Amino acid sequence: MAMKLGVIGSNFVSDWLCEAVQATEGFTLTAMYSRKQETGEAFAAKYGIPTVYTDMEAFLSSDLDAVYIASPNFCHAPQAMDALRHGKHVLCEKPIATCLEEWQAMQQAAFENGRILLEAMGP
C-alpha cells in the first residue's frame, strides 16, 4: 500500500519533491494545500495531484499519511505541529524551525503523537 502524501507549498522545492516522489515506489501524491485555489490547481495539475485544499483543517483531516511542508519558513513550526497533532508524519523543508524553542515543541508534538518528524536536507 502506498503512503499518501500531501504537499504544502508550490515553489520550486516542492517541484523537486514531487518529481522524486513520482520516481519512487511506495508513495502517492494525494493532496495539495494552497492559500489560493488557482495556484493549488496549477501546481496539482503538473503532478496529477487529485485534490486541492485551501482550508488547512480540511487538508489535515483528510486521509493523508504524511505531509511535506515547503511554505515560508515562519509557517514551518505551526504547520508541522498541527500536522503532527492530526496524526500525520512530517517532512519539513529547512530550516525546520526559526529557534530552539520551536524545534523542541515540534519534537514534543512528534513524540506525543507517535509520528516521524524530519527536516528535508539536500546535497
Side-chain angles (χ1 to χ4, degrees), residues 1-6 21 26-30 64-66 89 116:
M1 175 185 283
M3 180 175 274
K4 297 175 186 174
L5 180 64
V21 167
F27 294 92
T28 302
L29 293 168
T30 306
L64 296 171
D65 299 307
H89 300 289
I116 296 170

Side-chain angles (χ1 to χ4, degrees), residues 48-101:
I49 300 172
T51 308
V52 175
Y53 292 93
T54 56
D55 179 287
M56 183 64 78
E57 178 65 26
F59 173 76
L60 293 175
S61 295
S62 69
D63 66 348
L64 296 171
D65 299 307
V67 175
Y68 170 67
I69 300 174
S71 54
N73 296 347
F74 71 90
C75 296
H76 290 179
Q79 288 175 342
M81 288 187 289
D82 203 14
L84 292 162
R85 286 187 206 105
H86 278 82
K88 312 304 182 200
H89 300 289
V90 173
L91 175 62
C92 187
E93 264 310 318
K94 60 185 184 305
I96 196 165
T98 59
C99 64
L100 178 61
E101 291 77 16

Side-chain angles (χ1 to χ4, degrees), residues 4-47:
K4 297 175 186 174
L5 180 64
V7 177
I8 300 173
S10 57
N11 59 50
F12 70 97
V13 180
S14 296
D15 284 317
W16 295 344
L17 184 277
C18 290
E19 290 165 6
V21 167
Q22 288 182 325
T24 304
E25 291 185 31
F27 294 92
T28 302
L29 293 168
T30 306
M32 169 76 199
Y33 169 80
S34 179
R35 289 172 293 154
K36 296 182 181 177
Q37 187 72 31
E38 305 78 34
T39 305
E41 287 175 359
F43 186 87
K46 289 194 288 188
Y47 300 103

